Amino acid sequence: MSTYNYPGPPNGPAHGLDLDGLLRLTDGFLEALHAEYPGLVPCGEVIREALEEAAGDGGPPNRGRIRSALETLSIGASAGTVSLAYTQQLAHVMDL
């Protein structure tokens, strides 16, 4: 038995995620960031790029890059903002 055998997201072509739906979600997310926190837009773009890359090559999204960007966003976005709501929704959907 490998020590790397741990419960995690499924490893298949779809990787358990609806990448098209996540990409649509990031459209609204980036709009909210542009309106509320222009300085945090690069973090949103990191998430978008990681999802586009996964959709393009059929591999799983780079969860480390996405998690890091979401952590930065959750620190920078104030409670009650649309940006924070999107951040929390993405983290939940991706199980991060």
Side-chain angles (χ1 to χ4, degrees), residues 13 15 17 19 23 48-62 66:
H15 308 285
L17 296 172
L19 292 177
L23 286 167
R48 175 79 183 185
E49 290 166 6
L51 294 171
E52 286 175 341
E53 185 178 300
D57 68 15
N62 185 324
I66 294 170

Side-chain angles (χ1 to χ4, degrees), residues 6-28:
Y6 65 94
N11 295 323
H15 308 285
L17 296 172
D18 173 11
L19 292 177
D20 290 334
L22 284 169
L23 286 167
R24 285 190 303 276
L25 183 64
T26 59
D27 290 339

Side-chain angles (χ1 to χ4, degrees), residues 20-92:
D20 290 334
L22 284 169
L23 286 167
R24 285 190 303 276
L25 183 64
T26 59
D27 290 339
F29 185 37
L30 286 170
E31 285 180 31
L33 287 174
H34 278 286
E36 297 175 334
Y37 300 102
L40 293 175
V41 169
C43 291
E45 290 172 344
V46 164
I47 296 167
R48 175 79 183 185
E49 290 166 6
L51 294 171
E52 286 175 341
E53 185 178 300
D57 68 15
N62 185 324
R63 297 172 65 80
R65 283 180 59 204
I66 294 170
R67 181 182 294 113
S68 178
L70 288 172
E71 287 172 356
T72 300
L73 288 158
S74 65
I75 292 168
S78 298
T81 61
V82 175
S83 297
L84 183 60
Y86 273 112
T87 300
Q88 292 169 336
Q89 186 176 8
L90 281 166
H92 175 73

